Amino acid sequence: MKQDSTSPLFENKRFSGINYAEKRMVDKEFLNCEFVSCDFGKSNLSGNDFSACTFIDCNLAMTNITDTGMSKIVFKGCKILGVDFTRCNKMMFSFEFIDSYLDYSTFFGTKIRKTQFKNCSLKQVDFSNADLSMATFDLCDLTGSTFSSTILEKTDFRQARNFSIDPNMNKVKWAKFSQSDLSGLLDAYKLDIS
């Protein structure tokens, strides 16, 4: 990123192997860019905008994304541990997550309808009060994730595992579940299912 540090707009660029860990990026806009094997761990990306960008094999653990615009973002093979997505700019807010680790992150109260989570680790993620209508959790591990007052209408959990969802505490109309994993809907009742 140093080669164009005076320009606030980066369009159709590829950034590879950049170490931006624990640094602050100020007033940048990225449009249709690709980030490959970049380290943003504990960096501060507040106030920047990313649109139609792809992050591949990047580290974004504990990254500060306060007021950061993220629209049509694809994360592939990324480490996104402990990120607070509630702080993002809600006007630019759409994602797809593939083969990524989002453990200990929070989406509390966010509107992430139709979001695709594919083969992701989502352990201890807070989805409370979020709108996940028509989202898909394909081959995802939801161990310890929180669903409370969450809108899960038409959400697909058929390939998800280790989830615990109380139908009395969430909106689950037309949500899709596999017969083999229905026990995740009954945890609140402390039943012995074998």
Side-chain angles (χ1 to χ4, degrees), residues 7 31 45 76 86 94 106 108 120 123 127-128 178 181:
S7 173
L31 178 60
L45 303 181
K76 293 181 183 177
T86 65
S94 58
T106 181
F108 182 93
C120 291
K123 297 175 183 175
F127 291 110
S128 299
S178 165
D181 276 325

Side-chain angles (χ1 to χ4, degrees), residues 109-132:
T110 59
K111 186 174 181 179
I112 49 175
R113 298 167 59 102
K114 300 183 181 180
T115 299
Q116 302 291 308
F117 297 92
K118 298 176 185 175
N119 196 35
C120 291
S121 179
L122 297 157
K123 297 175 183 175
Q124 303 291 327
V125 173
D126 188 358
F127 291 110
S128 299
N129 295 95
D131 184 351
L132 284 160

Side-chain angles (χ1 to χ4, degrees), residues 147-166:
F147 295 92
S148 177
S149 299
T150 309
I151 301 172
L152 300 169
E153 295 174 347
K154 298 183 181 177
T155 302
D156 192 342
F157 288 96
R158 289 178 293 185
Q159 296 295 318
R161 61 189 182 282
N162 302 321
F163 58 85
S164 179
I165 299 169
D166 185 345

Side-chain angles (χ1 to χ4, degrees), residues 14-174:
R14 185 177 196 267
F15 302 96
S16 183
I18 292 172
N19 184 350
Y20 215 74
E22 300 187 33
K23 296 178 183 170
R24 178 172 169 81
M25 184 186 299
V26 181
D27 298 326
K28 302 288 184 203
E29 185 177 353
F30 299 89
L31 178 60
N32 199 33
C33 291
E34 185 177 74
F35 299 88
V36 181
S37 300
C38 295
D39 188 353
F40 293 98
K42 295 184 180 177
S43 64
N44 187 341
L45 303 181
S46 298
N48 297 283
D49 289 328
F50 297 84
S51 184
C53 292
T54 303
F55 292 82
I56 301 170
D57 298 326
C58 292
N59 175 23
L60 292 105
M62 304 297 292
T63 300
N64 182 344
I65 53 175
T66 301
D67 296 323
T68 302
M70 291 193 159
S71 177
K72 299 178 185 173
I73 304 302
V74 177
F75 294 100
K76 293 181 183 177
C78 292
K79 183 175 157 183
I80 316 168
L81 307 175
V83 173
D84 187 351
F85 285 92
T86 65
R87 296 177 177 254
C88 276
N89 177 344
K90 299 305 182 286
M91 299 301 288
M92 295 179 66
F93 198 70
S94 58
F95 314 93
E96 181 177 359
F97 300 96
I98 303 166
D99 301 325
S100 294
Y101 292 87
L102 289 102
D103 303 344
Y104 310 105
S105 293
T106 181
F107 291 91
F108 182 93
T110 59
K111 186 174 181 179
I112 49 175
R113 298 167 59 102
K114 300 183 181 180
T115 299
Q116 302 291 308
F117 297 92
K118 298 176 185 175
N119 196 35
C120 291
S121 179
L122 297 157
K123 297 175 183 175
Q124 303 291 327
V125 173
D126 188 358
F127 291 110
S128 299
N129 295 95
D131 184 351
L132 284 160
S133 302
M134 296 174 277
T136 300
F137 292 93
D138 189 13
L139 301 174
C140 292
D141 185 351
L142 292 157
T143 302
S145 287
T146 304
F147 295 92
S148 177
S149 299
T150 309
I151 301 172
L152 300 169
E153 295 174 347
K154 298 183 181 177
T155 302
D156 192 342
F157 288 96
R158 289 178 293 185
Q159 296 295 318
R161 61 189 182 282
N162 302 321
F163 58 85
S164 179
I165 299 169
D166 185 345
N168 294 318
M169 301 293 292
N170 299 281
K171 294 182 179 179
V172 295
K173 187 175 181 180
W174 303 113

